[in-house]
Amino acid sequence: MRKALAIVAVMALALTAFVAVGLAVQGTPDSSEAPAARPTPSPTTPPPASVTEPPAPDLADFYSQRIDWQPCASNDDHECGRLTVPVDYADPQAETIDLALLRVPARGARVGSLVVNPGGPGARGTTYAAAGGQVFREALLDAFDIVGFDPRGVGESAPVDCLSDADLDAYLSADPTPDTAAERTDYRASVLAFGEQCVASSGPVVAHVTTTEAARDMDVLRSALGEEQLDYFGASYGTKLGATYAELFPERVGRFVLDGAVDVSLDAKSLALEQAAGFETALRAYVQNCLDTTDNCFLGDTVEEGLATIRELLDRIEEEPLPAGERELTVGNAFYGIITPLYNRDYWFLLSTALASALDGKGSALMTLADAYASRNPDGSFADNSVEANYSINCLDDPTSVPFAQVPSLYEEFEEASPTFGRVFAWGMATCSGVEVASSEEPLDIRGEGAAPILVLGTTRDPATPFEWAEALSAQLDSAVLVERDGDGHTAYNAGNECIDTIVEDYLIDGVVPADGTTC
């Protein structure tokens, strides 16, 4: 999850509404493990002391907060609020920051609060909750207050700031696979400058945006919501955040859905290799679909011919960028534009349109997809700081970086995993070289011992979080139950698979735990 790989997770916000077509039901949930109904806290009465008891005495003031919900300026049906948390949990009496919150009240008989995170890292939870009508089905919208928060360093929660809009535009447009000495010098300078500017422009929060600290913030939020236990839905990187919470606060885990799971045990190189393979698998599935559903696929007569056509297109764009309105589509833009629609099968037609146009010498369609990835507005501004937050959080969580001069030695291994994208992922291994701060949090061995059953979802041809990661996370978490979606695209819930959707909703609303290993 480095600069060149930012799409793996940063796009979670832009792609929240991307849904996939599920396949036939091959398993059914086991209702024998349904627990008794839980008491529902009143949103207007003070919570009992057991809810607000802090994990340490010096956090008492934070855990005693009540949220002052007010109608949001953008939508009177949504409620906005703030939550105060310490910058550094090791020194909670020092500086504090406020986290942005957004709640969509339950439409029907309220079960409780469902805290949600779309992934990234760097995607805004407030926007995710606000889009709940597209993200979640009616059953969950009726039963839960959908509560999103911008994690520390993200969106409106003390956002990290690294580059001007113009510099960020240039950063995303740069060649992600520098070949010449001059290109590699520019790449190195760009990476180092990114890290330097994050520290110079962001203040002390940039050293405290780890996943562990964000998970601690979630427990403060749980208390402020008046919930004895936290009910949570996390997608993509949000599964890492949820698993981290389960390790830190296992007794506070309520009903947890981790969709599009991340293998939290992987080292940086293994993570990058497996993601590269995942995107290659998704691209192959896309080309195969072109062959299966059209009389004359514009990419070629076989999967290998189609992949070769795409690789040759990228090579030509690297040599000569394509016109895209008043801009030029570089190979960096083209990479993001191709990756974006792979997140969901329903949007493969957009990739076909963009590739056909690019093969005809026109870059505007691919540029539009690349802009969607980065949350870039037509005027050149950016709707959020997702790219900068992604870099800051990932590199603080794991600052592992390969020296620039050693990256070419990784080519063979990465190109074996992904002939199309391998070198991009290899160069991504050098990105954290520019990090100038270190985490104050110790690494965790995530097991979540003592937590209630946790539902882990994986999709067989997920490009960003391979199904093997869901298998791994479910094995690592002591109480995890694995459910498999046989299909394409990123994440499983609300992707057109009724089996998956019913399992998730029965679990969150009624506590029905499915049989481990259920396949849909």
Side-chain angles (χ1 to χ4, degrees):
M1 294 182 183
R2 299 295 185 260
K3 167 219 169 182
L5 313 183
I7 40 81
V8 170
V10 171
M11 286 196 316
L13 180 58
L15 300 174
T16 289
F18 277 26
V19 293
V21 176
L23 301 181
V25 174
Q26 298 179 358
T28 56
D30 179 2
S31 61
S32 63
E33 298 185 51
R38 299 176 302 169
T40 302
S42 167
T44 59
T45 58
S50 60
V51 169
T52 59
E53 181 180 359
D58 54 3
L59 294 174
D61 288 345
F62 298 102
Y63 274 75
S64 65
Q65 294 178 83
R66 299 291 283 166
I67 302 164
D68 180 22
W69 295 109
Q70 299 292 331
C72 297
S74 58
N75 188 331
D76 288 346
D77 293 332
H78 299 165
E79 298 170 342
C80 289
R82 309 290 292 185
L83 183 75
T84 301
V85 295
V87 170
D88 184 355
Y89 276 89
D91 188 11
Q93 304 309 314
E95 293 187 68
T96 64
I97 55 174
D98 286 347
L99 305 183
L101 312 175
L102 186 143
R103 178 171 71 176
V104 181
R107 300 174 180 176
R110 181 179 180 275
V111 173
S113 301
L114 182 66
V115 174
V116 299
N117 180 276
R124 297 185 61 180
T126 55
T127 307
Y128 193 52
Q134 290 74 50
V135 178
F136 304 104
R137 302 204 312 172
E138 291 297 319
L140 295 186
L141 296 172
D142 287 344
F144 288 99
D145 296 339
I146 306 297
V147 180
F149 72 104
D150 291 353
R152 52 175 57 217
V154 175
E156 297 299 323
S157 296
V160 296
D161 184 21
C162 303
L163 299 176
S164 68
D165 289 344
D167 287 343
L168 184 55
D169 221 13
Y171 182 81
L172 294 167
S173 300
D175 187 346
T177 59
D179 303 312
T180 68
E183 287 176 346
R184 292 176 183 178
T185 297
D186 290 344
Y187 186 92
R188 182 179 185 278
S190 174
V191 167
L192 296 180
F194 200 118
E196 292 170 359
Q197 289 303 309
C198 285
V199 173
S201 303
S202 302
V205 72
V206 75
H208 294 283
V209 292
T210 63
T211 301
T212 297
E213 287 160 310
R216 297 188 195 281
D217 294 342
M218 283 210 305
D219 199 54
V220 178
L221 175 58
R222 173 201 57 77
S223 175
L225 291 171
E227 303 286 358
E228 189 84 40
Q229 292 182 310
L230 179 70
D231 291 338
Y232 176 76
F233 185 102
S236 197
Y237 160 83
T239 66
K240 178 182 177 180
L241 180 59
T244 301
Y245 181 93
E247 176 60 28
L248 293 172
F249 307 101
E251 73 286 355
R252 295 296 192 180
V253 171
R255 296 167 189 169
F256 266 44
V257 175
L258 307 182
D259 187 4
V262 174
D263 182 351
V264 295
S265 71
L266 287 180
D267 62 84
K269 183 180 178 184
S270 298
L271 191 77
L273 281 168
E274 293 188 17
Q275 285 183 326
F279 278 106
E280 191 73 23
T281 296
L283 189 65
R284 293 184 69 88
Y286 158 73
V287 176
Q288 183 65 60
N289 179 258
C290 181
L291 295 169
D292 292 342
T293 59
T294 61
D295 293 332
N296 185 22
C297 177
F298 71 100
L299 293 169
D301 294 329
T302 67
V303 170
E304 295 306 323
E305 283 186 13
L307 293 172
T309 297
I310 294 171
R311 289 195 288 269
E312 290 165 4
L313 173 65
L314 288 170
D315 289 342
R316 291 199 299 274
I317 295 173
E318 182 174 5
E319 293 298 321
E320 185 175 353
L322 298 180
E326 297 180 356
R327 301 158 65 195
E328 283 189 333
L329 180 86
T330 67
V331 69
N333 302 133
F335 167 73
Y336 296 124
I338 290 172
I339 289 293
T340 300
L342 291 180
Y343 271 70
N344 192 284
R345 185 186 180 101
D346 285 353
Y347 286 80
W348 285 357
F349 78 94
L350 294 175
L351 181 54
S352 293
T353 300
L355 286 175
S357 182
L359 289 168
D360 195 36
K362 304 168 187 175
S364 294
L366 272 179
M367 185 69 87
T368 297
L369 293 172
D371 287 347
Y373 141 69
S375 301
R376 185 188 188 276
N377 297 317
D379 64 0
S381 64
F382 288 81
D384 55 46
N385 73 328
S386 54
V387 174
E388 294 154 306
N390 178 271
Y391 171 90
S392 301
I393 297 167
N394 276 331
C395 290
L396 198 60
D397 274 355
D398 182 1
T400 301
S401 192
V402 173
F404 295 100
Q406 293 181 18
V407 171
S409 69
L410 303 176
Y411 285 173
E412 182 177 357
E413 192 172 4
F414 275 83
E415 288 183 326
E416 182 178 352
S418 175
T420 307
F421 306 122
R423 290 197 180 191
V424 178
F425 282 76
W427 276 101
M429 292 295 298
T431 306
C432 288
S433 300
V435 174
E436 294 191 343
V437 292
S439 171
S440 59
E441 296 286 347
E442 293 295 325
L444 298 176
D445 180 20
I446 293 178
R447 293 290 181 264
E449 294 181 7
I454 295 172
L455 187 59
V456 176
L457 307 180
T459 297
T460 53
R461 292 178 295 281
D462 189 318
T465 53
F467 178 70
E468 291 76 14
W469 290 6
E471 292 180 305
L473 183 61
S474 67
Q476 292 155 23
L477 290 171
D478 187 58
S479 61
V481 175
L482 176 65
V483 176
E484 171 186 345
R485 177 174 78 92
D486 184 4
D488 299 287
H490 186 38
T491 69
Y493 177 70
N494 202 7
N497 187 314
E498 187 66 28
C499 169
I500 288 287
D501 296 344
T502 300
I503 286 173
V504 169
E505 290 159 5
D506 287 351
Y507 166 74
L508 285 173
I509 296 169
D510 298 318
V512 179
V513 179
D516 187 28
T518 296
T519 299
C520 293

